Amino acid sequence: MKLVYLVLDGVADKPEDGPTSLEVARKPALDGVASKSACGLVYTVGRGVAPESDAAVFSILGYDPHTEYTGRGPIEAVGAGLEIREGFEVAFRANFATVDPETRRIIDRRCGRNLSSEEARELARALDGVDLGVHDGYARVVATVGHRAVVVIGSRSRRLSDNVGNTDPAYEKRGYVSVAKPSFEPFVAEARPLDDSEEARRTADLVNAFTELSIRVLRGHPVNMARAREGKLPANAILLRDSGGRLPRLQRISEKYGLRFGAVAEMPVEIGIARILGMDMASVPPPSEDKAKDYADRLEATLKLLERNDVVYVHLKGPDEPGHDGDLKRKVEAIEAIDKYYLAPLLREIDPATTALLVTADHATPYTRKSHTDDPVPLALMAPGVTPDGVPRFTEKECSRGSLGVFEHGYEVLPRLLERLRRVYA
Ligand SMILES: O=C(O)[C@@H](CO)OP(=O)(O)O
């Protein structure tokens, strides 16, 4: 049996807000798959939870993020090739952002979403290894993709704790599962200890010292001088979120399902997840403007992994960013590009008699809300022995009528559907 598990990042919208991107997009390949599939909806982490990609992806891979999870920071660190010194280091997901340095008001959480990875690397180098002046502390800063980075707050001699709040106001830590806030005060938040331990207080002090230092160092940085000359927003602050002090201890996915898993992932967080779960990784360059080339690379990687694995998890970032930017046109274009340059050629390459296809999303990023929401996402399973529901198109509303019904948690999807496929392939 072979299965391609295609995850379209943030592709779902909020149907009650009006036409959704999936309804507007011209996507013959996706709609063709839906018409040959059993369909349904998934609350990827759970009803009422607007998840970040990390918890959502662990969940749709079959791991309940409320039982064993340790935050997005360590996952992004693995994706960036960083190790964490347990007990003395805490890893955060970070954003280069634009703030008013006097008031700490956030002008743009992503400094205009036009920071090149090279600019980010130069800015990170100015802060990587800095001494924080308290608690024998220091920071490591590694740029990843665009405005994204990993920051590790450490102490050479004092124990630290990951039980501290975010300085990024857009997401709220609820234990280790961070959720997107529908609205927030646009100011850099003070990191707070989330318990009364000395370790948590010490860590919060170090985070706040890092925030101040990053604003001082980035203010006059040549990259920002050049950006100002080009009329671009400065990357003059670093927002931290989703702290974690160690990696989650999870069963390797191949042992969990008794199947070999490959992964095609574009962003550090999904790369980190695939590594932690022991998947056979194909490395592909980060997304570029040339979608035809990007998706040809991702298709080639998928086919190569299919040769030596039973399941290939493919995570395509495309629709999420325009969702965050509130841009319906670009979100529709992102879906159409995946349909035309990835899915249509994939369907020409795989044998539907022996290779199943499961398509879904990690969460909704409605362009009408410009953030992740708790809306359920559509799901379609096309496989031999699976009777199609006659769903005409891959959209939120159409898939809600499917025979698979509603999965209350993403971690129910793979166990239930792999069991169904095993019966067919047995
Ligand atoms: O990294 C990203 O693409 C998004 C969501 O995961 O984060 P942010 O909203 O901070 O850009």
Side-chain angles (χ1 to χ4, degrees):
M1 171 192 84
K2 298 283 183 178
L3 171 68
V4 174
Y5 190 5
L6 177 59
V7 178
L8 306 177
D9 199 310
V11 77
D13 285 324
K14 188 178 276 287
E16 57 265 38
D17 282 359
T20 70
S21 312
L22 285 170
E23 289 167 349
V24 174
R26 288 184 307 280
K27 51 190 202 315
L30 266 169
D31 294 340
V33 166
S35 70
K36 302 184 186 85
S37 293
C39 300
L41 290 182
V42 192
Y43 286 95
T44 54
V45 172
R47 287 181 194 261
V49 177
E52 286 204 65
S53 288
D54 54 316
V57 167
F58 272 116
S59 187
I60 61 176
L61 290 173
Y63 298 81
D64 179 354
H66 290 108
T67 52
E68 166 52 25
Y69 192 45
T70 56
R72 181 169 185 159
I75 309 300
E76 297 251 9
V78 168
L82 284 174
E83 287 183 10
I84 309 165
R85 206 158 52 95
E86 211 169 311
F88 293 90
E89 290 185 335
V90 176
F92 295 79
R93 158 60 196 264
N95 277 26
F96 284 101
T98 305
V99 304
D100 174 334
E102 308 312 325
T103 64
R104 301 298 189 262
R105 182 177 185 79
I106 298 173
I107 295 159
D108 187 310
R109 283 189 59 258
R110 310 180 185 98
C111 44
R113 205 192 277 286
N114 58 18
L115 186 70
S116 72
S117 298
E118 184 39 48
E119 286 177 316
R121 277 193 290 274
E122 269 193 67
L123 294 167
R125 271 196 291 273
L127 285 160
D128 190 25
V130 288
D131 193 295
L132 296 175
V134 285
H135 307 310
D136 204 10
Y138 58 87
R140 290 190 291 159
V141 182
V142 174
T144 55
V145 178
H147 64 283
R148 304 171 186 85
V150 174
V151 170
V152 175
I153 296 290
S155 172
R156 284 171 280 271
S157 57
R158 310 281 203 292
R159 293 191 68 82
L160 301 181
S161 158
D162 60 13
N163 206 12
V164 294
N166 297 339
T167 64
D168 184 340
Y171 294 90
E172 180 192 346
K173 264 193 86 162
R174 287 189 192 157
Y176 286 116
V177 176
S178 214
V179 296
K181 287 155 71 174
S183 63
F184 54 88
E185 279 300 299
F187 288 88
V188 183
E190 179 103 352
R192 290 180 304 103
L194 298 179
D195 64 40
D196 59 4
S197 69
E198 184 47 37
E199 290 81 1
R201 270 199 294 277
R202 196 176 287 148
T203 309
D205 288 350
L206 288 172
V207 170
N208 294 324
F210 174 76
T211 299
E212 295 314 310
L213 183 64
S214 66
I215 290 173
R216 265 200 321 277
V217 167
L218 296 176
R219 190 166 194 166
H221 193 284
V223 164
N224 283 322
M225 298 298 107
R227 286 177 64 82
R229 288 192 297 274
E230 295 159 16
K232 293 177 182 172
L233 291 173
N236 63 359
I238 295 183
L239 304 177
L240 301 186
R241 70 183 201 246
D242 308 343
S243 55
R246 66 172 176 81
L247 289 179
R249 296 183 181 94
L250 298 168
Q251 185 183 24
R252 291 169 68 86
I253 197 162
S254 55
E255 290 151 23
K256 184 180 179 70
Y257 295 111
L259 296 167
R260 295 162 302 172
F261 272 69
V264 179
E266 304 174 301
M267 308 303 279
V269 64
E270 287 87 28
I271 291 168
I273 290 170
R275 278 195 186 133
I276 286 165
L277 297 182
M279 294 191 194
D280 177 6
M281 297 288 301
S283 70
V284 290
S288 75
E289 292 308 310
D290 183 349
K291 295 307 168 196
K293 164 101 178 48
D294 283 357
Y295 291 127
D297 289 346
R298 285 136 181 78
L299 173 62
E300 185 187 346
T302 304
L303 297 173
K304 206 170 286 177
L305 287 170
L306 267 179
E307 289 168 12
R308 57 181 192 255
N309 292 283
D310 304 303
V311 183
V312 178
Y313 152 63
V314 180
H315 194 112
L316 302 179
K317 179 68 178 173
D320 183 55
E321 290 190 345
H324 279 286
D325 297 340
D327 190 330
L328 169 62
K329 180 173 178 294
R330 275 181 48 234
K331 189 169 179 179
V332 166
E333 287 167 358
I335 294 166
E336 292 177 344
I338 291 170
D339 198 80
K340 180 177 178 185
Y341 297 121
Y342 179 79
L343 187 56
L346 174 72
L347 294 171
R348 289 196 289 271
E349 294 289 337
I350 60 175
D351 175 359
T354 58
T355 302
L357 177 65
L358 174 57
V359 186
T360 191
D362 49 352
H363 52 74
T365 310
Y367 66 92
T368 52
R369 303 300 172 99
K370 301 172 76 171
S371 109
H372 300 186
T373 63
D374 65 336
D375 292 85
V377 300
L379 175 141
L381 171 67
M382 181 178 81
V386 169
T387 309
D389 293 333
V391 165
R393 300 191 67 209
F394 186 73
T395 68
E396 300 86 349
K397 280 183 195 142
E398 294 292 356
C399 288
S400 71
R401 301 189 182 99
S403 61
L404 295 178
V406 177
F407 290 90
E408 289 299 329
H409 304 283
Y411 54 78
E412 299 159 2
V413 169
L414 266 190
R416 200 169 119 196
L417 298 186
L418 284 175
E419 185 44 41
R420 182 159 177 178
L421 293 178
R422 278 189 226 277
R423 285 203 301 275
V424 171
Y425 283 85

